[in-house]
């Protein structure tokens, strides 16, 4: 559903990685997470994109009940936005923890071609 909503609200989806199951990150839970990476084209600014992603989360039933990490039905993050670097209260791009999270790096590597200059950035 999130991917279909992204196509409708954000722009054309270019690549979708395989889905990977992983343990929770940053807290204990008996549940596993399902993770994937998506690349898409958008006319939205980074903050507009964040707003739309939050709308998609809410439409799918996500309700934040704590300020930290918790189980959730959906979590959409912006890992990169072209070559833009942003650090505000609402948004940091590139995502500050992407390299330390296998559940991001594995699907990200799947969709980034090894001859792509960006591949060397994510691997360094």
């Amino acid at each position: 559903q999130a991917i279909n909503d992204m196509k409708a609200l954000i722009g054309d989806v270019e690549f979708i990685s395989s889905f990977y199951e992983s343990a929770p990150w940053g807290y204990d839970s008996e549940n596993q997470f399902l993770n994937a990476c998506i690349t898409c084209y958008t006319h939205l600014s980074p903050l507009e994109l964040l707003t739309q992603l939050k709308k998609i989360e809410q439409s799918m039933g996500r309700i934040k009940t704590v300020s930290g990490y918790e189980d959730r039905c959906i979590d959409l993050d912006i890992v990169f936005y072209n070559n833009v670097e942003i650090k505000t209260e609402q948004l940091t791009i590139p995502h500050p923890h992407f390299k330390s999270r296998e559940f991001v790096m594995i699907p990200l590597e799947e969709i980034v071609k090894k001859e792509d200059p960006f591949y060397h950035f994510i691997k360094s």
Side-chain angles (χ1 to χ4, degrees), residues 14-112:
E14 181 182 28
F15 295 110
I16 304 169
S17 74
S18 301
F19 286 81
Y20 295 89
E21 191 173 297
S22 68
W25 188 92
Y27 74 105
D28 293 325
S29 174
E30 62 186 41
N31 297 309
Q32 295 289 300
F33 284 1
L34 193 59
N35 306 280
C37 284
I38 297 170
T39 60
C40 63
Y41 297 100
T42 187
H43 66 279
L44 302 175
S45 71
L47 287 175
E48 291 170 331
L49 175 58
L50 179 64
T51 298
Q52 291 301 319
L53 292 174
K54 296 305 172 198
K55 283 182 183 178
I56 293 169
E57 289 178 348
Q58 290 171 352
S59 75
M60 294 183 68
R62 178 159 184 194
I63 301 169
K64 285 192 97 164
T65 58
V66 299
S67 61
Y69 296 113
E70 64 181 338
D71 287 353
R72 53 227 182 243
C73 60
I74 187 77
D75 182 37
L76 302 172
D77 292 316
I78 303 170
V79 179
F80 297 102
Y81 185 102
N82 293 333
N83 293 322
V84 173
E85 291 185 28
I86 296 175
K87 188 165 186 148
T88 68
E89 275 189 37
Q90 299 106 331
L91 181 61
T92 301
I93 300 175
H95 192 286
H97 305 294
F98 82 92
K99 285 187 180 180
S100 64
R101 297 176 174 176
E102 284 187 4
F103 63 83
V104 174
M105 292 300 293
I106 292 171
L108 183 61
E109 284 187 55
E110 181 183 324
I111 61 176
V112 174

